[in-house]
Amino acid sequence: WKPYRTMITAIEIADGVTSIGDYALYGCSNATEISIPGSVKRIGEGAMISLGVTGELVIPEGVVEIHEAAFDQSSIKEIILPNSLRVLHGAFTNMDQLEKVVIPEGVEAMYDTVFSNCEKLKEVTLPTTLKSVVNLFNLCPLVETVVLPEGLEKIDGYVFNACDSAKSLIIPSTVRSMSYAPVVGCDSFESLSVAPGNENIKLENGCLITSEGVLVQGFSGCVIPTEGLTAIGGSAFRHADWLEEI
């Protein structure tokens, strides 16, 4: 239906369909209504790019995974996600009206820059079941902080990248693995701390370091340890305007 996609005003997906394929509904910019049956388990990459739905979009119970750019360039204001959801890839990109997202309990992994260039996004709630995140917020200018849940084990990539309002972040006591600076290019950022009881990550003398000796990020006044350092992680000193000498 590619030649007619801008003429489509409503979409009803038949019960029994288990997957909305990659780019299946791409460019249906005038489709202001969509009905998704509970039989759908997967929403593919770019599946609903430029979808015309505004306001609220309800993803039904039964959906287990949502992939990259699934709702890219749409004007959806709020997405209601199902409790059946387990994995989120970079689903929320270039959504200029999205304001709030609650990630439901049960989601264990979030990958591939989950929120990118969401100009109005202010609040995201993460579930206590979350175990792993890979690149969380990119170019989300109104997000000030996010509560990373106790139980989170792996942060691979940044939490905030070029988020102008980001101010604070607490690394949970359960995080065991980090390989990349969690805060990059955030001019208003004020405070990073590690929750008490974390034996794998420490913040000492302005340096965020893992128990394996990886310098994850250096902050103003960072004193690099002379012993035990095994590696310097990705973007450890990126945008470190304060740095004059190592």
Side-chain angles (χ1 to χ4, degrees):
W1 57 62
K2 183 176 180 180
Y4 309 103
R5 59 190 178 185
T6 58
M7 300 171 62
I8 298 171
T9 57
I11 298 169
E12 182 176 353
I13 299 172
D15 191 22
V17 171
T18 58
S19 176
I20 301 175
D22 296 350
Y23 303 97
L25 304 174
Y26 170 68
C28 295
S29 56
N30 290 316
T32 57
E33 299 178 19
I34 184 169
S35 175
I36 303 171
S39 57
V40 170
K41 306 295 183 188
R42 175 185 183 272
I43 297 177
E45 179 177 345
M48 302 182 192
I49 289 178
S50 299
L51 188 70
V53 172
T54 59
E56 182 181 276
L57 176 66
V58 178
I59 305 299
E61 290 295 331
V63 172
V64 176
E65 55 185 306
I66 302 176
H67 287 262
E68 296 92 331
F71 313 105
D72 189 85
Q73 301 175 53
S74 72
S75 296
I76 299 165
K77 187 174 182 179
E78 183 176 3
I79 294 182
I80 309 299
L81 298 170
N83 292 324
S84 56
L85 191 64
R86 293 295 175 266
V87 179
L88 262 175
H89 295 269
F92 308 107
T93 57
N94 302 309
M95 299 177 69
D96 60 5
Q97 299 300 313
L98 187 66
E99 296 181 354
K100 177 182 177 181
V101 177
V102 176
I103 308 298
E105 293 294 321
V107 171
E108 297 179 351
M110 298 171 65
Y111 301 122
D112 306 323
T113 311
V114 181
F115 301 96
S116 181
N117 198 26
C118 297
E119 296 177 1
K120 294 185 178 181
L121 183 65
K122 293 182 179 180
E123 182 179 349
V124 172
T125 302
L126 301 178
T128 60
T129 52
L130 190 63
K131 301 297 182 186
S132 176
V133 296
V134 181
N135 296 339
L136 197 52
F137 296 100
N138 175 58
L139 293 169
C140 295
L142 299 183
V143 175
E144 294 187 4
T145 190
V146 65
V147 177
L148 299 178
E150 287 293 325
L152 182 66
E153 298 175 357
K154 183 177 182 180
I155 302 173
D156 192 359
Y158 54 77
V159 176
F160 296 118
N161 182 64
C163 296
D164 294 341
S165 298
K167 288 183 171 59
S168 63
L169 183 67
I170 300 173
I171 306 299
S173 66
T174 50
V175 171
R176 297 182 299 179
S177 174
M178 296 181 71
S179 60
Y180 191 95
V183 183
V184 179
C186 301
D187 293 340
S188 298
F189 194 78
E190 298 173 354
S191 171
L192 183 139
S193 60
V194 179
N198 193 319
E199 298 179 355
N200 300 288
I201 310 293
K202 64 179 179 179
L203 182 64
E204 189 173 85
N205 296 323
C207 297
L208 190 65
I209 302 177
T210 72
S211 57
E212 289 83 17
V214 178
L215 175 59
V216 178
Q217 186 162 13
F219 297 92
S220 180
C222 172
V223 178
I224 299 175
T226 56
E227 297 182 1
L229 190 68
T230 59
I232 297 177
S235 292
F237 292 100
R238 188 178 179 185
H239 296 293
D241 298 338
W242 50 268
L243 185 63
E244 296 180 357
E245 183 180 358
I246 294 181

